[in-house]
């Protein structure tokens, strides 16, 4: 009787087990790697490059001014030296603020880019989910481990390219 009950419960458990199809995806990465992502990123990349050139020029000017102050330190009066050193500190603070502002602008540009590409990416992902009959799709960054076969990022890039 005990064996019969064990067999019965075993059959119930086996029949109630449903295989869950799970995949992981780097959605942001797929959007940026796709052809439409690469094309849409050209403008923001150029703006970021221009900001970077400006920042490097400001930093080089500050370094030149610091070297000049160091060179002239012995020939300047104490008041003039203090005044120029204070000016350098103010310039350095402005450059830090400029760098932080540029970083915020770059993040905002990327955010806008991702938002503009998301509808095409979502449509491609939805069709991929339906095609592969997936029950669950996780963000790759949130998973601790995923087999290479479970990662559908490359498939998503191909689907976005095909659909657009």
């Amino acid at each position: 009787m005990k064996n019969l009950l064990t067999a019965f419960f075993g059959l119930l458990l086996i029949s109630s087990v449903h295989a869950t199809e799970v995949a992981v995806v780097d959605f942001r990465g797929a959007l940026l790697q796709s052809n439409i992502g690469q094309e849409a990123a050209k403008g923001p990349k150029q703006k970021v490059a221009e900001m970077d050139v400006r920042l490097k020029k400001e930093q080089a000017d500050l370094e030149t001014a610091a070297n000049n102050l160091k060179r002239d330190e012995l020939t300047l009066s104490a008041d003039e030296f203090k005044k120029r050193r204070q000016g350098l500190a103010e310039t350095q603070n402005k450059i830090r603020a400029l760098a932080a502002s540029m970083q915020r602008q770059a993040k905002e540009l990327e955010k806008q880019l991702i938002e503009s590409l998301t509808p095409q990416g979502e449509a491609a992902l939805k069709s991929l989910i339906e095609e592969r009959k997936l029950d669950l799709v996780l963000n790759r960054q949130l998973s601790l481990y995923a087999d290479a076969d479970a990662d559908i990022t490359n498939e998503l890039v191909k689907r976005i390219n095909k659909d657009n």
Side-chain angles (χ1 to χ4, degrees), residues 12-82:
L12 283 177
L13 285 174
I14 290 172
S15 65
S16 68
V17 172
H18 177 265
T20 302
E21 292 295 320
V22 179
V24 295
V25 67
D26 179 359
F27 188 73
R28 180 186 160 282
L31 290 176
L32 295 175
Q33 291 172 28
S34 69
N35 293 339
I36 60 170
Q38 293 290 315
E39 187 62 33
K42 286 180 181 177
K45 281 182 182 179
Q46 183 180 354
K47 288 180 184 176
V48 169
E50 290 169 0
M51 289 188 290
D52 191 45
V53 167
R54 179 178 171 210
L55 182 61
K56 286 181 179 176
K57 183 191 178 312
E58 295 285 339
Q59 289 171 331
D61 291 347
L62 176 65
E63 189 174 333
T64 299
N67 288 336
N68 289 343
L69 179 61
K70 194 177 216 180
R71 182 193 65 214
D72 298 340
E73 181 177 0
L74 297 176
T75 60
L76 295 173
S77 68
D79 288 339
E80 181 63 25
F81 178 75
K82 184 179 177 182

Side-chain angles (χ1 to χ4, degrees), residues 123-136:
L125 181 59
K126 184 176 181 181
S127 68
L128 196 58
I129 289 169
E130 290 170 356
E131 180 182 298
R132 291 194 51 180
K133 296 180 173 83
L134 297 171
D135 297 314
L136 179 64

Side-chain angles (χ1 to χ4, degrees), residues 74-126:
L74 297 176
T75 60
L76 295 173
S77 68
D79 288 339
E80 181 63 25
F81 178 75
K82 184 179 177 182
K83 184 176 165 184
R84 284 178 57 183
R85 190 173 63 189
Q86 188 176 15
L88 282 176
E90 289 171 6
T91 302
Q92 188 174 28
N93 288 336
K94 286 178 186 177
I95 290 174
R96 283 187 187 135
L98 179 65
S101 172
M102 289 177 175
Q103 190 173 30
R104 282 191 301 275
Q105 288 175 0
K107 284 183 180 184
E108 183 61 31
L109 288 171
E110 181 183 6
K111 180 183 171 194
Q112 290 171 357
L113 176 66
I114 296 296
E115 287 175 358
S116 71
L117 298 172
T118 294
Q120 294 98 321
E122 286 176 343
L125 181 59
K126 184 176 181 181

